[in-house]
Amino acid sequence: MSRATDTVRVVEYWTDRDTHVIIPVQRCEEVDRMSDAQLISQFGDPEHGTVARIVH
């Protein structure tokens, strides 16, 4: 599960290119309902590479 504060949810993952990606997302009901994979799909940058491992 991602980490969160009262205002921000942070998702971390590693790509197949050994890039460590950190995505901070402003929290709201919609974001809180989303899985880490959904957040990465919506807010991640495909140029970083394919998701290899989500940091839990």
Side-chain angles (χ1 to χ4, degrees):
M1 180 68 181
S2 57
R3 294 173 288 147
T5 66
D6 289 341
T7 58
V8 177
R9 182 167 163 192
V10 178
V11 179
E12 293 182 63
Y13 66 96
W14 287 92
T15 71
D16 59 345
R17 298 180 189 161
D18 287 331
T19 303
H20 183 211
V21 180
I22 300 171
I23 304 172
V25 182
Q26 188 72 32
R27 287 185 72 182
C28 66
E29 286 185 33
E30 179 183 359
V31 168
D32 287 346
R33 284 193 303 265
M34 295 173 78
S35 70
D36 290 349
Q38 289 172 317
L39 286 172
I40 292 167
S41 174
Q42 184 165 345
F43 297 103
D45 185 347
E47 290 185 15
H48 290 140
T50 302
V51 176
R53 182 175 61 87
I54 299 174
V55 177
H56 293 280

